[in-house]
Amino acid sequence: MSIEITPALRDRLENTLRCLAIDSVNAANSGHPGAPMGMAAMAIELWDRHMRFDPSDPDWPLRDRFVLSAGHASALNYSLLHMFGFEMPMGELRNFRQLGSRTPGHPEYGHTPGIEVTTGPLGAGFAHGVGMALAARMTRARFAVRDEEEWSGPGQHVVYGIVSDGDMMEGISSEAGSLAGHLGLGNLIYMYDDNKITIDGSTDLSFSEDVQARFVAQGWHVQRCDGNDAIAIGDALRVAREETERPSLIICRTTIGYGSPNRAGTSSAHGSPLGEEEAKATKRSLGWPPEAQFLVPDDVRDYLNQCVLSKRIQRREMDGELANWQRHQPELSAEWKACRARKVPTDLVARLTEGLEKKDAATRKHSHEIINRLAEAVPCLVGGSADLACSNLTEIKSSSAVGEVDESGERFSGRNIHFGIREHAMGGIVNGMALDGTFLPFGATFLVFSDYARPGIRLAALMGIRSTFVFTHDSIHVGEDGPTHQPIEHLDSLRIIPGLTVLRPADGIETAMAWAWVAQAAEGPAALALTRQTLPALERPAGFVLEDIWKGAYVLREVEGEAQGTLLATGSEVSLAVAVAERLQGEGISLRVVSMPSAELFDAQPEGYRNAVLPSEGAPVIAMEAGMGDTLRKYLGGRGMLYGIHRFGASAPGAEVAALLGFTPEKAAEAVRNHLS
Ligand SMILES: Cc1ncc(C[n+]2csc(CCOP(=O)(O)OP(=O)(O)O)c2C)c(N)n1
């Protein structure tokens, strides 16, 4: 489908890209010109002759994905979007890095059409791409059909990426690369911009490993080529695509700041504008008109227009093939569409909450039951744990694991994902799967190790995507494993991530409603904090409406007449608060109890509701949480009290640690009594 191109015209395409990046960075007087200049040959070869996309429909599900893991090279990505006809007018390139532009400092998903993933934190894009490739393989296994070696149906696209020295140095690329190699993600192709330069200078300063040997050892197919030789790059990409059982790395030797007489090959090309004089000198050395800025020559524009046209013809053909598959596979096609629309049955809440009203259990156990009900009701649910499936209780029992060979010889038909002990990569991979758009993915570990997954959680929040993180063993009640395994600051540290909804359910009903919210109502990422220890089923007031749980907080126990205070609690401390209220009732102290499964959902309620649940004046609010609890301070009012834990825990049976730290009905009641008196 590619149209003929002369070597001279190809050079001009590359130089157009280089010079657009130079001009954008110069205009902003800020940014990274060196990497785009060095990557231009790789990027043009990939976008022009290999990638399948339709710039008029950036969300076309069959498109190949492009991940610029070295997000600081964003000027490259924006210039490519402009050249290949996406909604990226030249004015946006001139406005690089300015407020309100479509060209922010680093690529931002959801902000710029055609950007597949937010990158910038080095290594993150690498892992997100692995998630996208995994989602594609799982899509193909579930929905496409094979006749001999020919597939028809969705999930056949390729995930391409450009990764850099910084990506390779970051540990997350080792984690994600290891899993990609283990799973044999043959639809993943990364080009490594091996320019041997980072900010501080040569990679000799800190990076001497044999990258080729490392990736071979991880089970990748590795090639090397000259990153300025378009023919060699093209050949390597074709060989990489033919390799369908292993992910591919193409190590492309490049020169940072290619073409710049005084900066090429040095770290001075990395992160500062070339400036007017050096830009002119560079253009001259590239055979470009030195005075021209933001130039796309007519012959280049004509060629690109033709290229886009042929890509759109290719898209029509592929859509035709998909329509054929849809005709022959109406059930699979309906299920695929339902997945992509993240459809849920209208009776989901009833199905998830059924029979849990009176059941005492750890919320992780409730969650297990609910995950399995949800998996039945919502086919797009997939996920797994970072080697703690037996503790996090995340297994979808009706399904096999990804990597397990099924009766048709397929390895990706399962819905359970073993991420291995790779929480950092898991964060990115879950996000990559969410970005792919077919599945509703979750990843799990202990709450204390949410720190290890935090970069991915933050990016999920920044992108506003529906990644779910299941964190069990959510407090000092973990017990014997001791302070290294007992989260203290984690609930607070998750709650302060903008856009993340933290749900800490207090019993089976709240756990079911938390999952129902994730499947039915969430518009961004969610983190579930679940207990290891058994919790009693809560008694709710007559006429209680289950959906009130989605308001983030609700009155669980009202008192007649005037209350002397309100106990505000989350998760496992809700039943503690009830026990305290009942105990003090006998002493003539009447207390309301408010359960707060999610501070974020509560904060989003109208003021009237918030004031009715937690009056801002009058009797004090006492917040109870088996953790720092500092994010609950805003609810306390002037005379309230935070009953939390401001130290690390201890290694002992859970009940003893709880007693030591005051989390028993006796001790908590005493503290409340003292405060009120
Ligand atoms: C996790 C993370 N740490 C640090 C940075 C800051 N940073 C941006 S670019 C860069 C150097 C990257 O070097 P390389 O990947 O070789 O890019 P090149 O010099 O080729 O442009 C660093 C340290 C970052 N973006 N992400």
Side-chain angles (χ1 to χ4, degrees), residues 56 112 150 153 224 240 274 314 460 535 563 611 614 653 664:
S56 66
T112 310
E150 281 294 304
R224 277 184 180 280
L274 293 190
Q314 184 185 38
L535 299 181
N611 274 336
L614 290 177
T664 58

Side-chain angles (χ1 to χ4, degrees), residues 245-319:
E245 298 300 310
R246 288 180 291 173
S248 278
L249 183 72
I250 306 172
I251 302 176
C252 300
R253 188 70 178 93
T254 58
T255 304
I256 193 167
Y258 179 90
S260 162
N262 299 301
R263 306 264 185 101
T266 72
S267 61
S268 64
H270 167 90
S272 37
L274 293 190
E276 211 181 308
E277 286 315 309
E278 187 64 14
K280 279 186 196 162
T282 304
K283 287 175 185 172
R284 216 173 278 119
S285 87
L286 291 172
W288 212 243
E291 302 295 334
Q293 289 197 17
F294 294 102
L295 173 69
V296 181
D298 289 345
D299 57 339
V300 169
R301 186 72 81 191
D302 288 347
Y303 174 83
L304 288 167
N305 288 344
Q306 278 186 59
C307 168
V308 167
L309 211 62
S310 75
K311 284 190 192 288
R312 296 184 71 175
I313 292 169
Q314 184 185 38
R315 182 217 162 132
R316 269 208 294 281
E317 284 168 15
M318 289 174 65
D319 281 349

Side-chain angles (χ1 to χ4, degrees), residues 31-35 72 165 195-203 205 255-257 260 262-274:
H32 302 78
H72 61 276
D165 295 316
N195 65 22
K196 306 211 183 297
I197 292 291
T198 63
I199 292 178
D200 281 353
S202 159
T203 50
L205 293 171
T255 304
I256 193 167
S260 162
N262 299 301
R263 306 264 185 101
T266 72
S267 61
S268 64
H270 167 90
S272 37
L274 293 190

Side-chain angles (χ1 to χ4, degrees), residues 599-652:
E600 298 79 17
L601 294 184
F602 181 65
D603 291 349
Q605 297 309 310
E607 196 181 353
Y609 180 79
R610 284 186 281 123
N611 274 336
V613 174
L614 290 177
S616 51
E617 285 168 19
V621 173
I622 296 168
M624 308 174 84
E625 186 163 84
M628 296 279 283
D630 281 57
T631 44
L632 304 178
R633 275 190 199 279
K634 62 186 170 191
Y635 306 115
L636 300 183
R639 296 191 296 129
M641 175 176 80
L642 173 63
Y643 196 69
I645 301 172
H646 289 83
R647 50 161 283 185
F648 289 116
S651 175

Side-chain angles (χ1 to χ4, degrees), residues 209-365:
E209 73 198 36
D210 181 340
V211 172
Q212 177 165 4
R214 164 179 148 192
F215 277 82
V216 167
Q218 288 190 337
W220 287 56
H221 170 248
V222 184
Q223 304 173 75
R224 277 184 180 280
C225 74
D226 174 349
N228 280 311
D229 179 343
I231 293 175
I233 297 166
D235 287 345
L237 283 167
R238 271 180 286 278
V239 171
R241 266 199 309 281
E242 275 160 25
E243 168 58 65
T244 57
E245 298 300 310
R246 288 180 291 173
S248 278
L249 183 72
I250 306 172
I251 302 176
C252 300
R253 188 70 178 93
T254 58
T255 304
I256 193 167
Y258 179 90
S260 162
N262 299 301
R263 306 264 185 101
T266 72
S267 61
S268 64
H270 167 90
S272 37
L274 293 190
E276 211 181 308
E277 286 315 309
E278 187 64 14
K280 279 186 196 162
T282 304
K283 287 175 185 172
R284 216 173 278 119
S285 87
L286 291 172
W288 212 243
E291 302 295 334
Q293 289 197 17
F294 294 102
L295 173 69
V296 181
D298 289 345
D299 57 339
V300 169
R301 186 72 81 191
D302 288 347
Y303 174 83
L304 288 167
N305 288 344
Q306 278 186 59
C307 168
V308 167
L309 211 62
S310 75
K311 284 190 192 288
R312 296 184 71 175
I313 292 169
Q314 184 185 38
R315 182 217 162 132
R316 269 208 294 281
E317 284 168 15
M318 289 174 65
D319 281 349
E321 286 166 21
L322 192 76
N324 203 21
W325 163 79
Q326 283 170 332
R327 264 193 306 281
H328 286 94
Q329 306 292 338
E331 276 176 29
L332 287 173
S333 147
E335 197 177 323
W336 178 63
K337 281 190 189 148
C339 275
R340 289 194 68 82
R342 308 259 165 80
K343 273 210 178 132
V344 302
T346 47
D347 62 347
L348 186 70
V349 164
R351 283 164 76 167
L352 297 192
T353 52
E354 193 192 340
L356 298 179
E357 296 84 357
K358 298 206 165 4
K359 202 168 167 190
D360 301 349
T363 48
R364 64 175 172 143
K365 281 206 174 133

